Amino acid sequence: MIKTLVLTATIMVSGTIFSQNLKKVAYKDGTQKLNGLVTSNAGKKLPGVLILPAWKGIDDEAKMAAAELEKQGYIAFIADIYGEGNIPTDNASAGKTAGYYKQNYEAYQKRISLALEELKKSGANPEKIAVIGYCFGGSGALEAARGNMPVVGVVSIHGGLAKDAARMNEPLSTKILVEHPADDESVKPEDYMQLVNEMNDGKADWQIITYSNSKHTFTNPESKDYNPVMAMRAWNHTLMFLKEILK
């Protein structure tokens, strides 16, 4: 237990220190200003990872992930999905804003595509790019796959798995890893099975890893539901997947 707590503290301190090296990147969707963050190794010819943050926008978990990915030899770019002036301040506004993009998936896919372009401009090898996302961003990672974006793999970390039943199942060319907390009350069993059917119908290269004793935000050190053991396993699974497809 003590060892786990020390490890958690180390991750948080390390992430905070390294996240200070993230550089702001201003870009636009029409007239809407967007403010992303990129790691300090931008400009080098390296594999790239796009990070899609949770429902309140760019947060410490996304920044820690970017810092750790830079240490692993990736250029990481954190997308701004909502845009300047639209960042939620509480759970109610986060639910409303995230809900808009879930319902208007084409708008979500467009914001993801714009961030991918910024990642490429930052020097990432366009042939070696992956997307990872947390919570709302995990839903976005699946949308990147559904949109057949030019990425070799996506990782959905405690993301929403549902898709409007009116949407047809299409071919899925990118590799998909879903990291799913076993006790996530926000994911209905039918949503889980619908995703499995969708990936099978799409003839995808897919894998779902389920983490025991884990609720929705199990990977976030700031959450009351943080499970440090399972969070570390999930991160190691993410790194293993990225190494396989990007290096």
Side-chain angles (χ1 to χ4, degrees):
M1 180 64 178
I2 293 176
K3 184 177 181 181
T4 299
L5 291 174
V6 171
L7 179 61
T8 300
T10 300
I11 291 173
M12 293 183 70
V13 172
S14 174
T16 300
I17 293 173
F18 280 95
S19 67
Q20 294 173 356
N21 294 325
L22 295 171
K23 301 176 183 178
K24 293 182 180 179
V25 178
Y27 59 114
K28 287 187 175 182
D29 180 1
T31 59
Q32 175 62 61
K33 184 179 179 182
L34 305 168
N35 298 297
L37 293 173
V38 70
T39 46
S40 62
N41 57 354
K44 299 180 180 179
K45 195 70 171 181
L46 295 169
V49 181
L50 178 66
I51 301 172
L52 303 179
W55 67 339
K56 288 187 177 178
I58 295 175
D59 57 11
D60 286 342
E61 184 170 27
K63 292 177 183 178
M64 285 190 291
E68 292 300 315
L69 288 170
E70 180 177 4
K71 290 163 63 178
Q72 297 293 326
Y74 303 105
I75 297 174
F77 186 90
I78 308 176
D80 177 8
I81 300 300
Y82 300 145
E84 189 172 285
N86 300 312
I87 307 303
T89 56
D90 53 31
N91 288 350
S93 58
K96 181 178 180 180
T97 307
Y100 168 82
Y101 285 98
K102 288 181 180 180
Q103 293 173 9
N104 297 275
Y105 69 90
E106 291 178 335
Y108 196 4
Q109 289 180 349
K110 183 181 180 182
R111 292 282 167 93
I112 296 169
S113 293
L114 289 171
L116 280 172
E117 289 305 311
E118 293 303 318
L119 175 57
K120 293 176 185 177
K121 291 178 184 178
S122 298
N125 183 341
E127 303 299 321
K128 293 187 176 183
I129 290 179
V131 177
I132 72 171
Y134 297 89
C135 185
F136 168 62
S139 302
L142 294 176
E143 286 301 336
R146 290 168 180 147
N148 282 314
M149 296 183 192
V151 299
V152 292
V154 303
V155 184
S156 174
I157 306 168
H158 56 79
L161 308 183
K163 183 185 73 170
D164 189 329
R167 295 172 65 183
M168 299 291 292
N169 289 344
E170 304 287 351
L172 298 167
S173 59
T174 189
K175 301 178 190 296
I176 301 171
L177 172 61
V178 176
E179 298 180 353
H180 178 63
D183 304 319
D184 190 342
E185 295 180 352
S186 68
V187 175
K188 299 176 182 178
E190 53 267 34
D191 295 335
Y192 182 99
M193 289 309 305
Q194 182 186 43
L195 177 64
V196 171
N197 292 335
E198 178 186 3
M199 293 188 293
N200 284 334
D201 288 348
K203 301 188 183 306
D205 175 340
W206 66 270
Q207 182 176 13
I208 297 177
I209 303 176
T210 302
Y211 300 89
S212 66
N213 306 308
S214 297
K215 295 185 178 181
H216 179 57
T217 51
F218 78 106
T219 63
N220 191 341
E222 298 178 357
S223 169
K224 63 181 179 61
D225 294 325
Y226 179 55
N227 184 328
V229 173
M230 294 299 170
M232 182 55 66
R233 288 183 188 176
W235 183 245
N236 286 335
H237 290 146
T238 298
L239 293 181
M240 182 170 63
F241 179 74
L242 294 177
K243 182 178 180 180
E244 174 192 327
I245 64 175
L246 297 180
K247 293 189 174 180

